[in-house]
């Protein structure tokens, strides 16, 4: 049994992670702002993680074997957590994102198209941190999501207060209405209604992971002894056509596409997961460390069927 603290954990794969950790016999504490209560048997600390004094007071004399941070988006948040949990935990696992590899958001090492991107492409131990940027502004944070994650990773990696792991998740799908981003629902709705799906003329592949698979990997990361970045994605990249065609097959009809120029005109929006740049990840490190992944094409049809069922459900 471990003492595990989950920051966030109120929805989607975070909520599932909490349930699985508790079912495995761990002593679990959830920290969030109180919008959603945790499952029975889980300690709940209601506090804003951005308020360092309140967070420190809420933690009291508690210590943990592992902290899993589901909702860290900026270096400022990371710095607060690094100070608050220094001396309170031996291991810290941050949920990060494939977006840290997006070449459109930073000057990153060039990777040949078609070569899966490895963890070394973004090294948090050497990444520069800028605390004085307007991270508290929602519009700025939304526009700089990838950089916020890169710098948050860097703060933890450079703090040296505990063993640090960053799980860089692929695009998370599955769970029907639980998939709150609505990205798979976008395809389900358009296919069901026979509407066009807007894509790049030369759409490049990306990678995905099922939400249950990600919860499993995060749980595994709490018990492992490796440190540093690890990519989390199912086997088998897909481009937007491959994704939409799987949805269409579940719907029993053909997907309808509309292509936009290679350089999209200002204001022209493409569908989620249509990319004109390459940054599909490699999961080789996680495999070498002992984690086994599903194949995307094994679980995506079921996830598509769930999304289509939600799209077909009557609304009030």
């Amino acid at each position: 049994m471990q003492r595990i603290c989950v920051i966030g954990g109120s929805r989607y794969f975070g909520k599932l992670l909490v349930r699985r950790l508790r079912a495995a016999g761990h002593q679990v504490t959830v920290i969030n702002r109180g919008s959603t209560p945790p499952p029975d048997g889980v300690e709940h600390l209601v506090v804003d993680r951005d308020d360092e004094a309140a967070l420190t007071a809420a933690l009291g004399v508690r210590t943990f074997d592992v902290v899993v941070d589901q909702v860290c988006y900026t270096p400022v948040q990371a710095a607060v957590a690094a100070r608050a949990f220094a001396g309170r935990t031996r291991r810290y696992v941050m949920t990060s994102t494939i977006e840290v590899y997006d070449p459109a958001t930073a000057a990153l090492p060039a990777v040949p198209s078609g070569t899966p991107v490895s963890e070394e492409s973004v090294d948090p131990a050497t990444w520069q941190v800028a605390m004085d940027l307007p991270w508290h502004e929602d519009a700025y944070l939304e526009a700089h999501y990838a950089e916020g994650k890169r710098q948050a990773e860097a703060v933890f990696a450079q703090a040296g207060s505990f063993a640090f792991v960053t799980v860089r998740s692929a695009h998370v799908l599955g769970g029907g209405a639980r998939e709150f981003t609505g990205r798979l629902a976008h395809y389900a709705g358009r296919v069901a209604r026979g509407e066009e799906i807007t894509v790049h003329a030369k759409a490049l592949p990306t990678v995905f992971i099922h939400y249950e698979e990600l919860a499993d990997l995060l749980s595994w990361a709490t018990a492992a002894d490796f440190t540093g970045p690890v990519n989390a994605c199912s086997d088998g990249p897909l481009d937007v056509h491959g994704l939409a065609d799987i949805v269409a097959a579940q719907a029993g009809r053909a997907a309808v596409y509309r292509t936009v120029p290679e350089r999209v005109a200002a204001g022209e929006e493409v569908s989620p997961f249509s990319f004109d740049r390459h940054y599909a990840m490699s999961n080789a490190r996680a495999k070498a460390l002992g984690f086994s992944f599903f194949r995307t094409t094994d679980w995506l049809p079921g996830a598509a069927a769930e999304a289509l069922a939600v799209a077909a459900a009557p609304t009030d």
Side-chain angles (χ1 to χ4, degrees):
M1 182 186 74
Q2 296 196 95
R3 297 184 305 278
I4 301 177
C5 175
V6 178
I7 305 176
S10 62
R11 61 181 179 177
Y12 207 28
F13 60 86
K15 188 173 184 179
L16 180 59
L17 170 66
V18 170
R19 288 176 175 163
R20 292 193 171 174
L21 291 173
R22 186 70 188 94
H26 299 300
Q27 181 180 322
V28 182
T29 297
V30 166
I31 294 176
N32 59 35
R33 289 179 293 185
S35 59
T36 305
D40 291 341
V42 173
E43 182 184 33
H44 191 196
L45 301 181
V46 179
V47 64
D48 185 346
R49 56 130 354 116
D50 296 339
D51 186 333
E52 185 170 354
L55 177 59
T56 302
L59 289 170
V61 298
R62 292 173 180 81
T63 60
F64 306 97
D65 296 300
V66 188
V67 175
V68 183
D69 195 339
Q70 297 281 79
V71 288
C72 189
Y73 302 107
T74 75
V76 176
Q77 291 179 319
V80 167
R83 290 189 294 265
F85 287 96
R88 295 181 187 272
T89 187
R90 62 173 178 80
R91 186 171 181 79
Y92 202 102
V93 179
M94 174 187 159
T95 303
S96 190
T97 172
I98 185 177
E99 305 297 341
V100 301
Y101 300 119
D102 186 351
T105 63
L108 300 174
V111 178
S113 185
T115 302
V117 181
S118 64
E119 290 85 353
E120 291 79 10
S121 290
V122 176
D123 181 2
T126 60
W127 198 263
Q128 187 173 355
V129 173
M131 291 289 192
D132 56 348
L133 296 174
W135 296 114
H136 61 285
E137 297 178 5
D138 290 343
Y140 183 86
L141 180 55
E142 182 178 356
H144 297 84
Y145 172 72
E147 183 61 16
K149 284 288 192 179
R150 284 188 288 259
Q151 292 195 25
E153 289 186 16
V155 168
F156 286 125
Q158 296 166 26
S161 304
F162 31 62
F164 174 62
V165 175
T166 177
V167 175
R168 294 170 175 167
S169 172
H171 308 292
V172 188
L173 298 177
R178 289 185 289 272
E179 198 269 286
F180 64 92
T181 67
R183 294 175 297 183
L184 195 54
H186 168 90
Y187 291 93
R190 287 188 173 272
V191 167
R193 296 187 296 269
E195 296 174 355
E196 292 179 333
I197 297 169
T198 306
V199 299
H200 291 95
K202 295 180 180 179
L204 294 174
T206 188
V207 285
F208 302 91
I209 191 167
H210 192 271
Y211 82 106
E212 293 183 358
E213 186 175 24
L214 182 53
D216 286 343
L217 188 142
L218 288 165
S219 179
W220 165 77
T222 65
D225 60 1
F226 68 90
T227 59
V230 63
N231 293 338
C233 58
S234 300
D235 288 335
L238 287 174
D239 65 16
V240 64
H241 297 93
L243 173 71
D245 286 350
I246 287 175
V247 175
Q250 292 299 307
R253 60 190 308 167
V256 181
Y257 297 102
R258 181 175 71 87
T259 60
V260 296
E262 190 168 346
R263 292 191 175 276
V264 181
E268 182 82 42
E269 291 190 4
V270 295
S271 293
F273 313 128
S274 181
F275 295 107
D276 59 354
R277 55 205 184 275
H278 165 73
Y279 61 110
M281 299 187 299
S282 165
N283 60 15
R285 183 176 192 229
K287 286 182 176 179
L289 290 167
F291 191 82
S292 298
F293 290 95
F294 302 135
R295 286 200 63 79
T296 305
T297 50
D298 287 341
W299 58 259
L300 187 53
E306 290 175 324
L308 286 162
V310 172
T315 57
D316 295 332

